[in-house]
Amino acid sequence: MPKCTIDGRQIEVAPGTTVLQAALDHGIHIQHFCWHPDLPVDGNCRTCMIEVEKMPKLQIACNTVIAEGMVVQTKSPKATEAQRTALEFLLVNHPIDCPVCDQAGECYLQDNYMRYGLYDSKIELEEKVHKRKVVDLGPIMLDAERCVLCSRCLRFEDVVTGTNSLQFVNRGDHTQIATFDGGKIEHDYAGNLADVCPVGALLSKDFRFKMRVWFLKQHESVCPGCSTGCNVFVDERDGEVQRLRPRRNAEVNKSWLCDPGRALYKQIGVTERVSGARVRGAGGWEGVSVAAALDRVAAALKDAGAASAFVATPQATNEDVFAFKALAETVGGKLDFRVGDPQLKLTQRIDEVLQRADRNPNTQGCLDQGIGKDGVDAIVSACRAGSLRALVLQGPELLRIPELVDAIAKVPFVAVMATHEGPELDRATVVLPAAMWAEVAGTFTNYQRRVQRLSAAVPPPGDAQPRLELAAGLLSRLGKPLATATARDVFALLAKATPGYAGLDYRAISGLGAALAPAGGADSMASGEARA
Amino acid sequence: MAVNVVTVDRNQKAGVVPILKGHWVTLQNFWRSLFLRQASTIQYPEQKRPVSSRYRGIHVLTEREDGTPKCVACYMCATVCPAECIYIESGERPEKAIEKYPTRFEIDLLRCVYCGFCVDACPEEAIIMSRENDLVGTTRAELVIDRDRLMARGKLVEHGAGYRPVDHDVRRPVRLKALERLKSEHGIVPGMPAAKTPRA
């Protein structure tokens, strides 16, 4: 383990660590643009200049590997002067239009300009080289004037997606990035281009002019789009989710997030949400309070007893599923969660980067808790045979399958916990309003058996409640209340009851989550990580 | 230890002389306003008191020559506003030179504390204040004024411009402070020559 001194601090690092990485890990800031933790080192921006003892010339911190006994100065006059000069070059043709630039507030150029900058530009605005502005690249808007030519986007397209749609064109002062013949960016990872861009040259069209970033409050969460379980930030203002951003987790998604995942926030604040409970009466739907609806469901379950069935959903958190399972066991009905056979698709990739075929975030969690015990087929054939008197669904998936409509119609009482309105809800007897993933605290277990936490970022609409609380409400009406109803404490109960989860608690899995031993041996872990 | 203690005789009878003195003052004012027309009151609202040219009255959004708002919807005013009374929604303009403009711009005048920070923060001189100060409405909603009412120039012509960057260049002190900080914290003195020579 080489030891070095950076700015007078003794630092011990792993062999092969660069000065920039070591400095950032130890809270020493060195300005940088082209360096990105998940992209190959390029060293083209020359802004991370540092002074290394016994080296005659200044070195770039991002590509200088620490050797034993190295003494580095990042803030010596010589280094500072070089950093400022490099920054000045980046700003030569920059329009400094921060007031209308969406990157303002999370812009490397803005931050470093305030830190090291020459506040008076030596170039008059009229003398700057003007480049293309407001270029529509599909999901991304390009403003070539703001670009600092760091090539992060080029390297991302080269190494991560392999699409290579962006390139540098022209020479010298007039260099800019462009797509061939102005073509659009067509892969599923375009949003990452806006994220890797350290300045406002590549910006998300979806987020364009929507909100200044300093108004946003970020909440750590997990993307519910597929079984990969990418770590995200939910950015919200006043209870309204404005965007999803990838949260770096080297073991799961690195710094990336797919575009379908990014778009999932749009399902949260829509008007089609189920915001109140309703019960089918003589004259059609009747809106009732959640408590009254739960009373009705509890009465039906008491009446049905073992002639009932419960279908959990892999869209729900581990805590929701735990409470649902407790409910099924209390009543004594059949229990499963599979619709089709998602666990076969659990680790199957649909592209080379992140996305997996199982579009549910918590299939592994359901499997770990032993939810898949009776089989949906058995439940459906019991429906067909007319031997079921009550069916409780944690999600509306089963109601959406056209082949099962006649089978479900034979069950006299169907209760469903739903987040969104849809024609399928008309097949139920009671609709309970459920909160979505961004509105609940809980955990998902991804395809690697990594347990990851989500936090409640925004309040649920209307009367909607976490599925955990709906199940807990039913349990207390059936005379077997859960010992606790907060997600944190339910997780503690779950960790005790579930094999492999022992010893876990919310503190242990905060941040990057906790990896469990793979369930099905080495093959279920195959090719886990994103490329690059 | 008591200093300069005045003992007041509470049983003292009110004299006739002070009452007459008071009446004399009133009478003088009465005569002055009756014969000399030197009243200290004014005929509001027909007549208004003059206010300072830097008076911080109701806001005005300025416009470009083509009648579009100068505002680029940068949200600086909404960010700095201590009363959080400014609500902006931004949209995209077809011209590429000025990409952004406010599709909604509302100020809740009942929340506003008329501090003028929005004027200070604006990089475009798009929001200034007028000298208008009589805020009257029959409902609360009426006093949340929208972009088009903020842009109505009539008020500015009628009441005169109030607080605006022209007579109070706010950027200079802020900038000097930033430069001072740069020097003290980072030891950096920006390397521009003191006097700018225009280039050929």
Side-chain angles (χ1 to χ4, degrees):
Chain A
M1 297 283 267
K3 284 196 194 91
C4 68
T5 310
I6 302 179
D7 287 352
R9 278 174 63 183
Q10 297 279 340
I11 291 171
E12 194 173 345
V13 297
T17 310
T18 59
V19 175
L20 183 60
Q21 181 72 70
L24 293 178
D25 287 350
H26 289 83
I28 299 167
H29 183 265
I30 303 175
Q31 71 164 345
H32 58 274
F33 287 88
C34 68
W35 181 84
H36 186 281
D38 294 314
L39 291 174
V41 173
D42 205 51
N44 67 54
C45 75
R46 318 306 288 181
T47 52
C48 59
M49 289 292 207
I50 46 152
E51 201 173 350
V52 182
E53 218 165 74
K54 298 188 184 107
M55 283 195 183
K57 287 168 84 176
L58 296 176
Q59 302 295 314
I60 49 171
C62 63
N63 207 18
T64 304
V65 176
I66 288 176
E68 181 61 42
M70 198 180 247
V71 179
V72 176
Q73 293 292 336
T74 71
K75 292 179 181 64
S76 67
K78 209 172 149 191
T80 309
E81 179 61 31
Q83 289 162 7
R84 283 175 57 211
T85 313
L87 184 62
E88 195 183 356
F89 273 120
L90 295 188
L91 283 162
V92 160
N93 288 318
H94 190 87
I96 316 192
D97 54 351
C98 307
V100 294
C101 176
D102 274 341
Q103 188 83 4
E106 51 183 12
C107 174
Y108 287 41
L109 203 50
Q110 207 179 30
D111 294 348
N112 289 322
Y113 172 78
M114 296 309 288
R115 214 176 173 118
Y116 303 94
L118 293 159
Y119 285 76
D120 285 298
S121 177
K122 290 176 188 167
I123 309 288
E124 300 290 337
L125 195 60
E126 297 75 41
E127 291 173 8
K128 296 197 173 203
V129 177
H130 293 289
K131 297 175 184 173
R132 298 177 307 149
K133 289 180 90 71
V134 201
V135 184
D136 188 350
L137 297 182
I140 291 287
M141 297 296 280
L142 164 68
D143 187 312
E145 265 183 6
R146 295 179 188 149
C147 178
V148 294
L149 304 172
C150 69
S151 85
R152 275 183 176 193
C153 48
L154 272 62
R155 279 174 284 146
F156 175 81
E157 290 236 318
D158 182 22
V159 179
V160 181
T161 60
T163 44
N164 288 314
S165 46
L166 287 162
Q167 269 308 329
F168 284 136
V169 294
N170 300 339
R171 291 191 301 173
D173 239 11
H174 295 263
T175 312
Q176 52 177 297
I177 51 171
T179 53
F180 178 70
D181 205 19
K184 308 265 189 264
I185 290 171
E186 274 162 352
H187 54 76
D188 263 354
Y189 294 86
N192 295 303
L193 293 171
D195 287 336
V196 295
C197 184
V199 295
L202 296 170
L203 289 171
S204 157
K205 196 194 265 177
D206 180 49
F207 191 63
R208 184 168 162 83
F209 297 161
K210 207 156 122 186
M211 185 56 61
R212 303 313 309 250
V213 296
W214 53 83
F215 291 123
L216 298 175
K217 225 169 119 190
Q218 65 181 36
H219 301 265
E220 291 188 1
S221 195
V222 175
C223 173
C226 73
S227 58
T228 306
C230 296
N231 291 207
V232 296
F233 283 118
V234 178
D235 282 350
E236 149 271 334
R237 185 185 184 194
D238 297 343
E240 203 174 316
V241 180
Q242 303 286 344
R243 64 172 178 183
L244 297 186
R245 255 182 323 132
R247 178 160 60 93
R248 185 161 190 268
N249 188 338
E251 305 296 320
V252 183
N253 56 318
K254 307 226 166 175
S255 300
W256 322 129
L257 185 63
C258 68
D259 291 348
R262 260 172 224 270
L264 287 175
Y265 80 91
K266 292 178 187 165
Q267 298 175 356
I268 299 167
V270 293
T271 46
E272 296 84 51
R273 289 292 300 275
V274 180
S275 56
R278 58 179 191 254
V279 172
R280 189 174 288 284
W285 286 117
E286 288 166 14
V288 292
S289 70
V290 175
L294 288 177
D295 286 341
R296 177 87 189 270
V297 179
L301 287 177
K302 263 183 201 158
D303 180 46
S308 60
F310 296 81
V311 181
T313 171
Q315 289 284 331
T317 64
N318 281 322
E319 291 75 0
D320 295 341
V321 171
F322 179 81
F324 196 72
K325 185 186 173 194
L327 176 66
E329 282 165 357
T330 304
V331 178
K334 292 188 172 61
L335 172 67
D336 203 289
F337 77 101
R338 284 170 285 192
V339 177
D341 237 348
Q343 74 271 38
L344 289 182
K345 299 189 282 185
L346 186 58
T347 54
Q348 190 188 324
R349 291 161 163 272
I350 58 173
D351 64 24
E352 287 290 297
V353 191
L354 294 172
Q355 296 184 74
R356 284 191 160 67
D358 178 12
R359 307 310 287 188
N360 294 306
N362 201 27
T363 305
Q364 185 65 52
C366 291
L367 290 174
D368 286 349
Q369 291 193 48
I371 303 297
K373 62 174 188 183
D374 296 314
V376 167
D377 290 343
I379 293 175
V380 168
S381 48
C383 291
R384 278 225 170 80
S387 62
L388 279 189
R389 294 223 299 279
L391 178 63
V392 181
L393 305 172
Q394 206 180 16
E397 293 92 341
L398 210 60
L399 300 178
R400 291 201 190 113
I401 302 172
E403 299 84 64
L404 302 184
V405 171
D406 59 320
I408 287 168
K410 286 193 179 143
V411 184
F413 184 86
V414 179
V416 61
M417 302 179 189
T419 57
H420 290 78
E421 294 290 354
E424 72 273 11
L425 297 186
D426 286 339
R427 290 168 202 144
T429 325
V430 174
V431 175
L432 297 165
M436 284 181 72
W437 63 280
E439 298 156 358
V440 301
T443 57
F444 285 151
T445 307
N446 80 348
Y447 74 102
Q448 303 163 310
R449 287 195 90 208
R450 177 178 282 272
V451 187
Q452 306 188 102
R453 256 180 86 179
L454 21 155
S455 47
V458 291
D463 287 343
Q465 287 180 11
R467 292 181 175 103
L468 164 65
E469 283 174 27
L470 294 175
L474 287 174
L475 277 167
S476 54
R477 280 168 177 77
L478 293 169
K480 282 269 187 72
L482 272 183
T484 169
T486 66
R488 180 182 289 269
D489 297 338
V490 170
F491 186 78
L493 296 178
L494 183 159
K496 264 187 216 148
T498 311
Y501 285 58
L504 289 185
D505 59 21
Y506 268 18
R507 187 175 296 173
I509 57 172
S510 64
L512 302 180
L516 305 178
D523 54 272
S524 69
M525 275 290 284
S527 62
E529 266 90 272
R531 208 152 65 94
Chain B
M1 204 177 79
V3 181
N4 292 339
V5 177
V6 179
T7 314
V8 180
D9 179 9
R10 298 288 175 193
N11 297 322
Q12 191 185 4
K13 298 274 184 303
V16 179
V17 179
I19 293 175
L20 287 180
K21 260 188 189 170
H23 279 208
W24 177 244
V25 172
T26 312
L27 211 59
Q28 269 185 323
N29 279 327
F30 173 67
W31 283 330
R32 204 175 286 149
S33 56
L34 191 66
F35 300 116
L36 302 175
R37 299 272 165 205
Q38 285 176 353
S40 25
T41 51
I42 55 160
Q43 292 300 313
Y44 187 83
E46 289 81 16
Q47 243 182 322
K48 276 171 186 165
R49 286 210 182 280
V51 291
S52 151
S53 64
R54 282 170 27 212
Y55 187 82
R56 299 196 301 266
I58 295 170
H59 317 71
V60 176
L61 278 184
T62 57
E63 56 192 34
R64 295 171 210 278
E65 279 162 11
D66 61 356
T68 54
K70 255 189 188 174
C71 174
V72 294
C74 70
Y75 290 67
M76 292 300 147
C77 49
T79 304
V80 78
C81 180
E84 297 184 4
C85 67
I86 304 180
Y87 180 81
I88 305 173
E89 270 175 25
S90 49
E92 188 158 0
R93 278 163 64 114
E95 306 102 284
K96 287 186 181 179
I98 316 147
E99 290 173 57
K100 206 176 170 188
Y101 84 109
T103 50
R104 270 178 81 181
F105 193 111
E106 290 173 4
I107 300 183
D108 186 344
L109 292 177
L110 293 173
R111 280 194 79 152
C112 179
V113 294
Y114 298 94
C115 62
F117 282 8
C118 48
V119 180
D120 296 352
C122 183
E124 296 284 324
E125 295 178 16
I127 187 166
I128 64 170
M129 289 174 128
S130 72
R131 286 180 230 172
E132 186 187 2
N133 60 5
D134 47 350
L135 183 63
V136 185
T138 49
T139 58
R140 281 174 179 274
E142 214 174 291
L143 297 174
V144 179
I145 54 175
D146 62 11
R147 192 189 67 183
D148 297 333
R149 279 171 68 198
L150 281 166
M151 281 178 67
R153 308 280 296 179
K155 279 187 181 171
L156 195 60
V157 175
E158 184 191 337
H159 299 278
Y163 189 60
R164 61 199 187 278
V166 206
D167 39 61
H168 188 82
D169 191 349
V170 292
R171 273 163 289 183
R172 206 170 156 69
V174 173
R175 228 182 89 80
L176 286 176
K177 221 170 212 176
L179 291 178
E180 257 167 42
R181 220 194 69 196
L182 193 69
K183 194 180 170 187
S184 62
E185 287 178 19
H186 302 280
I188 295 170
V189 181
M192 273 300 286
K196 249 186 188 175
T197 45
R199 295 173 194 215

